[in-house]
Amino acid sequence: MKPYPVEPFRIKMVEPIRLIPPDERQKAMQTAGYNLFNLRAEDVFIDLLTDSGTGTMSQDQWAAMMTGDESYAGARSYYRLADVMQKIFGFEHFVPTHQGRAAENILTQLLVKPGMYVPSNMHFDTTDGNIRARGGRPTNLVIDEAFDPTNPHPFKGNMDVQKLRTFIEQVGPQNIPFGSITITNNAGGGQPVSLENIRQVAEVYHHYGIPFFIDACRFAENAYFIKQREPGCAHLSTLEIARQIFALADGAWMSAKKDALVNIGGFLAVRDDDLFQRICNELILREGFVTYGGLAGRDLDAMAVGLMEGLDEEYLAYRIGQTAYFADQLKSAGIPIIEPAGGHAIYLDAGRFLPHIPHAEYPGQALAAALYLEGGIRGVEIGSVMFAYPDPDSGEMIYPKLELVRLAIPRRTYTRSHFDYIVEVLKSLTDQRETLRGYRITYAPPLLRHFTARFEPL
């Protein structure tokens, strides 16, 4: 059994949570159309819907917010963030945005035209949605090991370099406005990408003249995995690893609500002068002036502090150790998960947990709903609700290879007893899983349907 890591912090403030009775949970789910996004937060006991903006900020971040400069243009807060951006990422230009999807919106608006392809290891939901909204085709080229839940490969987020070369040759580099890679690979179990794989991917993109962008929302966790798992990297600091990673890229975007430890914020960074000017023009139209990008000055200051705190190796050892403990408890209880444990979440394998429910009846949604009804725990489906789509040529429904429920762990928020409770609830569901049934969709928008779809149980 893995020991629970000792927290490298003390708790200074607490927020009360309450487990409402089963009949109230049932009523809440009916009102929500069985979509956990539609639940009132006060009706949730343990909230693992996302790790995006839900963590706890430090005393230094709160102190920095008090010095925030709210000037419309050229605020001190912007320049403090710019110094940190240069220290970690090293890109010539950047703009702040209110979160990661705003950066994706700007980048895809400027570069993606109908019929173009954007390859990655695995696109997550908002990236996928922004590309499709422009008529583009997001393409996932992760290694095959990513689809084997029990494969112990240390870097299951890696892109298959040969698949990438073949794909570029098939569709033509002129039809690829940019290529990307996500660190860590959220859609595939929060799995890291090796430094060597990032080097090889960069070489392929650059060989064909394709700009290379990194989705950097969990870059610090990825850097820590590289330090722990990749030969020849143990002596490097996470900051040194991060600098090596981003030196390989032409640009990056980030939701700072993850590894920058803030409740709101993000950025888009590039090297190209002309592209940067176009980004600024688009940012002013949609987000705000180039030195605030839709954020208050205090948010910029909190991000500047959080980016460095997110790279702290004592914090990262605790963060990764907490997830590993949770995974170990679930495995010991016989609950199927994606292995090895990633950094920011545990991914329940709903396909193995509920093998009697087919793709079209959404086993991940069934498990996520049951988890809330049984124990007041909110996770999120990452399977056929989120990622199934009709083939643009044949119209045939394409289902993802994995049916998952993600239990995303907010940073510096929950303790060991919370995770032990979740394990007990899942044990209870194991005893009754034969009785669980699937769902059907009663309403869904054409893109990003998991956020607002409504369901009814079959």
Side-chain angles (χ1 to χ4, degrees), residues 243-260:
R243 291 186 60 83
Q244 289 193 33
I245 289 172
F246 294 106
L248 298 167
D250 301 293
W253 72 84
M254 181 181 182
S255 169
K257 296 163 69 176
K258 284 81 169 176
D259 273 1

Side-chain angles (χ1 to χ4, degrees), residues 104-398:
E104 295 167 346
N105 179 29
I106 292 170
L107 188 65
T108 56
Q109 173 69 21
L110 291 174
L111 299 183
V112 178
K113 302 295 184 289
M116 286 185 166
Y117 297 84
V118 181
S120 184
N121 48 353
M122 292 181 80
H123 296 282
F124 200 58
D125 58 353
T126 59
T127 323
D128 184 284
N130 271 298
I131 295 167
R132 292 187 191 279
R134 272 61 181 179
R137 300 189 181 188
T139 304
N140 297 329
L141 300 172
V142 73
I143 58 174
D144 291 339
E145 289 88 340
F147 301 112
D148 179 355
T150 60
N151 190 307
H153 193 294
F155 293 102
K156 288 168 77 171
N158 282 358
M159 187 181 286
D160 189 312
V161 178
Q162 186 54 52
K163 285 182 184 177
L164 178 61
R165 288 195 190 95
T166 301
F167 178 76
I168 294 171
E169 292 287 347
Q170 285 176 345
V171 304
Q174 71 279 7
N175 294 313
I176 301 176
F178 67 92
S180 67
I181 201 165
T182 302
I183 57 173
T184 58
N185 182 26
N186 192 4
Q191 298 296 308
V193 181
S194 73
L195 182 58
E196 180 58 29
N197 186 251
I198 297 170
R199 285 197 186 103
Q200 292 175 6
V201 167
E203 288 172 2
V204 172
Y205 282 136
H206 292 150
H207 173 76
Y208 289 98
I210 298 169
F212 172 34
F213 280 76
I214 296 175
D215 178 348
C217 61
R218 297 176 182 87
F219 80 96
E221 292 175 9
N222 202 100
Y224 189 78
F225 278 121
I226 288 172
K227 180 179 177 68
Q228 296 297 310
R229 296 180 181 179
E230 189 160 356
C233 293
H235 69 288
L236 299 172
S237 70
T238 49
L239 176 58
E240 290 168 331
I241 292 169
R243 291 186 60 83
Q244 289 193 33
I245 289 172
F246 294 106
L248 298 167
D250 301 293
W253 72 84
M254 181 181 182
S255 169
K257 296 163 69 176
K258 284 81 169 176
D259 273 1
L261 310 178
V262 290
N263 303 129
I264 197 69
F267 68 78
L268 176 57
V270 295
R271 301 196 189 281
D272 183 83
D273 296 342
D274 178 65
L275 178 57
F276 175 65
Q277 187 57 62
R278 295 167 64 200
I279 287 169
C280 289
N281 297 340
E282 193 73 18
L283 183 87
I284 291 168
L285 180 65
R286 299 177 183 276
E287 293 285 305
F289 190 63
V290 294
T291 58
Y292 79 90
L295 294 171
R298 56 185 174 269
D299 298 322
L300 300 174
D301 268 305
M303 195 193 312
V305 175
L307 280 166
M308 294 306 299
E309 286 187 356
L311 283 166
D312 179 79
E313 292 177 24
E314 286 189 9
Y315 153 74
L316 286 166
Y318 161 74
R319 168 75 170 161
I320 303 304
Q322 184 183 56
T323 310
Y325 168 86
F326 189 17
D328 199 44
Q329 297 299 309
L330 291 167
K331 286 167 58 181
S332 297
I335 296 161
I337 63 172
I338 296 294
E339 302 173 45
H344 72 287
I346 293 297
Y347 291 71
L348 305 175
D349 189 343
R352 282 190 290 158
F353 195 92
L354 301 173
H356 58 286
I357 300 179
H359 288 292
E361 296 178 6
Y362 310 118
Q365 188 66 23
L367 180 54
L371 192 58
Y372 174 75
L373 291 169
E374 182 71 15
I377 301 156
R378 178 160 66 171
V380 66
E381 188 266 9
I382 297 187
S384 291
V385 175
M386 186 178 287
F387 286 123
Y389 65 95
D391 184 272
D393 298 319
S394 68
E396 178 186 0
M397 187 61 72
I398 306 297

